[in-house]
Amino acid sequence: LHRLAARRLFSSPLSFFASQPHGRILNRFSSDLSQLDEPLALALFAVAGAGGFYFACYGGHFTAVLQCAVPAMAMAFFYTADPFSLKARGLGDLTIFLCFGPLIAAGVSLVVVGRVLPDALLFAVPVGVLTVAILHVNNLRDIEADGKAGLLTLAIVLGPRGSTALYKMQIASAY
């Protein structure tokens, strides 16, 4: 097994991942993604949760930080995980905006100064919008594949023309 993994690693380009024609990125070491990716994702999620728990304790604002961290971790986990799969229900853009914008800014503000600063939330909005724009343009590219997979993304709802217009508005509004 180790020889096979080493052979695949060194015979491949400098990447552990391969892009498939339909746009999905697959792990080069496993044809069944659940063999490696799910345990690795759960382990990394646990490490991130432990780090967040440490900062919540260290900052002295345990309850307040958990009020930001618990919803953010739940949204991050259920972004693709069953039974909610927020991305498949058309809530992916909102989830990403909240997690990479206001929630992360509120959590950092709580740890650093002990309270949520309105300016932190205000300055987090463009960051969240730009992050959603990256997600949205990727979903725009994947409209056909996501539709066949039964996913409902904002790009599918708006169609190519509406999605392109939304993407332009997202980029312009962030500045």
Side-chain angles (χ1 to χ4, degrees), residues 1-9 29-30 35:
L1 179 64
H2 294 288
R3 286 183 188 168
L4 176 63
R7 189 174 328 125
R8 286 187 180 175
L9 173 65
F29 296 111
S30 174
Q35 288 180 359

Side-chain angles (χ1 to χ4, degrees), residues 123-141:
F123 292 130
V125 170
V127 175
V129 170
L130 286 174
T131 306
V132 171
I134 293 167
L135 170 75
H136 188 71
V137 78
N138 182 62
N139 288 342
L140 175 60
R141 180 199 67 195

Side-chain angles (χ1 to χ4, degrees), residues 59-112:
H61 308 286
F62 185 76
T63 306
V65 172
L66 286 183
Q67 289 173 350
C68 293
V70 170
M73 289 186 71
M75 285 190 286
F77 183 78
F78 288 114
Y79 179 75
T80 55
D82 291 330
F84 300 112
S85 189
L86 297 169
K87 178 183 178 182
R89 296 173 187 263
L91 298 172
D93 291 41
L94 177 62
T95 301
I96 295 301
F97 172 76
L98 291 173
C99 287
F100 286 89
L103 283 175
I104 199 166
V108 169
S109 179
L110 280 168
V111 169
V112 175

Side-chain angles (χ1 to χ4, degrees), residues 1 5 8 16-17 26-44:
L1 179 64
R8 286 187 180 175
F16 292 101
F17 303 99
L26 299 176
N27 185 309
R28 288 188 188 271
F29 296 111
S30 174
S31 60
D32 180 9
L33 293 175
S34 64
Q35 288 180 359
L36 177 65
D37 291 348
E38 286 180 17
L40 177 62
L42 289 174
L44 292 173

